[in-house]
Amino acid sequence: MIIGETYRKIREGKGISISSLAGAEISKSQISRFELGETEISFFKLLYLLEKIGVTLEEFLLSCNNYQPSDFNTLIRLVQQAAYNQEIKSLLNMVSKEMELFRETKSHYHKLNAIFIESIIYGIDNTHQLSNQDTSYLTNYLFSVENWGYYEILILGNCCRAILPNLLFRYAKEALKKGKLYSSIPRNKQALVQLLLNSLLIMIENSLYEEALFLKQATKNILSNSTDFFEQTILLYLEGFFELKFHRNQKSILKIEDALKIFELFNKTLYKNYKDYYKKNIIILLQCGNSYFE
């Protein structure tokens, strides 16, 4: 369906006339020709027309795609579902499909999608590591992009474990700079915060104090006037871990336990994941004695 035809159907469905839309920005004849597919209009005029009929750009694009999510959003949903159920075979099949599309189309996005899915598999089974070639492919792509949007930050946020900690910190700082232009978009902001939280955890694990301190403060600044409840709770958990690791403050375990209590009440999946991490990487290490803090 052409864009103009989609717009006409929405406009008529709302009972809005072309005459009521015309003005200094765009004439009645321009709107009519646009709807008939006889001419194109600028992006800014399209935004103006969408605003006049009370439709967001995201809603309009979904309408143009017959109310089906984009291929990438569909892929993300399938990956999340398979990862949640730890269906490694399904994830591997997705990798194979993306690589097949990459060979057919030569589009680097399919290659990056495959790397993204492989990193998800690595999070489930750490014997399935990204190759040096794939890691280089990802990093070369990221540094070739001037401004990072949702796609770039999401990919990096899910590949944190596959990148060396010092290099990951460099990328996280780049994400703060290159993703700034899009940070007012809720989805982009959420992806950026998730990347920072994942990176912060890895910095703490690897005893990189300055790097962890920087990421902790950067995340705290982003969330300072935010209603992102679960992200704030994850940060509380990581602040406790940070203080425990670097300041030998065993009372900070209370922050971790407070975060776990919140997860237990409101999100069972997050509770299970962070409780398991708590048992495997914090409590057991504490029981090993003060060598943990060396």
Side-chain angles (χ1 to χ4, degrees):
M1 182 182 290
I2 62 174
I3 292 176
E5 182 183 350
T6 302
Y7 183 84
R8 177 181 60 79
K9 286 183 177 292
I10 297 172
R11 174 183 62 76
E12 290 178 345
K14 288 175 172 279
I16 300 172
S17 67
I18 289 180
S19 299
S20 67
L21 302 175
E25 291 79 3
I26 189 168
S27 68
K28 180 179 176 180
S29 62
Q30 281 181 300
I31 299 172
S32 180
R33 291 198 303 272
F34 164 63
E35 291 187 347
L36 292 171
E38 295 176 355
T39 186
E40 296 179 353
I41 61 173
S42 70
F43 179 70
F44 295 103
K45 287 183 178 179
L46 175 61
L47 291 179
Y48 166 80
L49 289 176
L50 291 175
E51 184 178 355
K52 294 289 281 186
I53 63 172
V55 174
T56 67
L57 179 60
E58 188 173 12
E59 289 170 337
F60 182 67
L61 293 176
L62 189 63
S63 301
C64 290
N65 199 38
N66 294 318
Y67 299 96
Q68 297 299 314
S70 68
D71 290 343
F72 181 67
N73 285 339
T74 300
L75 176 66
I76 292 297
R77 179 178 57 79
L78 292 174
V79 169
Q80 288 175 334
Q81 182 179 343
Y84 180 80
N85 295 315
Q86 298 192 346
E87 297 171 352
I88 293 179
K89 186 176 180 180
S90 296
L91 291 168
L92 287 171
N93 287 337
M94 292 181 206
V95 171
S96 298
K97 183 177 180 180
E98 290 298 322
M99 287 304 298
E100 184 179 341
L101 289 169
F102 172 66
R103 288 188 289 270
E104 290 175 2
T105 65
K106 305 304 179 184
S107 169
H108 62 260
Y109 287 109
H110 290 298
K111 174 70 171 178
L112 292 166
N113 289 345
I115 293 171
F116 159 65
I117 300 168
E118 285 189 296
S119 71
I120 297 293
I121 298 172
Y122 176 67
I124 300 171
D125 177 8
N126 58 20
T127 62
H128 187 93
Q129 296 187 5
L130 284 183
S131 66
N132 291 334
Q133 182 181 9
D134 284 345
T135 303
S136 296
Y137 194 98
L138 171 65
T139 56
N140 289 338
Y141 167 76
L142 290 173
F143 275 103
S144 72
V145 179
E146 184 175 351
N147 295 313
W148 290 1
Y150 175 72
Y151 183 82
E152 287 76 24
I153 292 176
L154 181 71
I155 292 289
L156 178 59
N158 283 278
C159 292
C160 286
R161 291 284 180 189
I163 299 173
L164 292 173
N166 287 321
L167 194 56
L168 174 61
F169 176 67
R170 182 181 173 190
Y171 292 152
K173 289 181 70 176
E174 284 292 315
L176 281 167
K177 180 173 66 176
K178 292 188 173 185
K180 187 176 181 180
L181 292 176
Y182 303 108
S183 60
S184 61
I185 302 173
R187 186 175 70 163
N188 292 52
K189 177 183 173 183
Q190 185 180 39
L192 177 59
V193 170
Q194 193 59 57
L195 164 62
L196 295 175
L197 290 170
N198 290 345
S199 302
L200 172 57
L201 175 60
I202 291 171
M203 297 307 117
I204 296 172
E205 289 175 346
N206 288 274
S207 301
L208 296 172
Y209 175 76
E210 294 295 339
E211 292 84 348
L213 181 63
F214 176 90
L215 293 175
K216 181 171 73 73
Q217 191 57 53
T219 310
K220 201 167 186 175
N221 290 342
I222 294 175
L223 293 175
S224 60
N225 295 312
S226 171
T227 57
D228 299 316
F229 179 67
F230 290 119
E231 285 81 0
Q232 289 176 334
T233 308
I234 294 171
L235 180 59
L236 175 66
Y237 181 100
L238 294 179
E239 283 182 323
F241 191 16
F242 175 90
E243 293 169 12
L244 191 65
K245 177 79 171 183
F246 296 113
H247 300 303
R248 307 187 181 188
N249 179 8
Q250 298 195 33
K251 289 184 179 179
S252 60
I253 201 78
L254 296 175
K255 286 188 177 181
I256 299 172
E257 292 175 346
D258 284 344
L260 289 173
K261 288 175 185 176
I262 295 171
F263 288 141
E264 188 175 18
L265 286 172
F266 297 103
N267 191 307
K268 298 298 183 184
T269 301
L270 284 176
Y271 172 71
K272 181 182 183 303
N273 292 341
Y274 282 96
K275 182 69 173 180
D276 288 345
Y277 187 90
Y278 176 71
K279 291 178 180 178
K280 294 176 182 177
N281 299 281
I282 300 177
I283 292 298
I284 291 178
L285 288 171
L286 281 171
Q287 292 172 346
C288 293
N290 292 332
S291 60
Y292 169 66
F293 298 103
E294 297 298 324

